[in-house]
């Protein structure tokens, strides 16, 4: 869980630096990062918390496909 928090803090720190530097493409980047959190959160909930960063990247790049993929993903047993 600490690694997931570090990933989230790192990405938001990078976005904050881009916004402070007033890069115009930073505002196009923010929605993709937020959309990527949806499949990553569902995967975490289903027991795939060890791959949070991978699911976040997958959801950011291929949003709707990642949401469908994580929906049909089987539950991981503890």
């Amino acid at each position: 869980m600490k690694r997931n928090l570090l990933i989230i803090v790192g990405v938001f720190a990078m976005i904050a630096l881009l916004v402070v530097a007033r890069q115009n493409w930073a505002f196009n980047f923010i929605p993709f990062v937020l959309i990527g959190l949806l499949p990553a959160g569902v995967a975490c909930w289903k027991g795939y918390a060890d791959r949070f960063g991978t699911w976040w990247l997958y959801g950011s790049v291929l949003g709707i496909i990642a949401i469908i993929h994580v929906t049909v993903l089987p539950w991981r047993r503890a």
Side-chain angles (χ1 to χ4, degrees), residues 3-26:
R3 187 171 61 182
N4 296 346
L5 186 61
L6 286 174
I7 292 170
I8 293 170
V9 169
V11 169
F12 281 116
M14 183 181 71
I15 291 172
L17 287 174
L18 290 172
V19 170
V20 168
R22 295 193 178 156
Q23 298 288 334
N24 290 334
W25 62 272

Side-chain angles (χ1 to χ4, degrees), residues 19-62:
V19 170
V20 168
R22 295 193 178 156
Q23 298 288 334
N24 290 334
W25 62 272
F27 294 108
N28 296 332
F29 181 69
I30 292 172
F32 292 109
V33 171
L34 296 177
I35 290 169
L37 284 175
L38 181 65
V42 173
C44 217
W45 182 52
K46 284 190 163 190
Y48 295 90
D50 56 333
R51 295 189 173 102
F52 182 83
T54 306
W55 277 102
W56 192 2
L57 181 63
Y58 179 35
S60 295
V61 175
L62 300 169

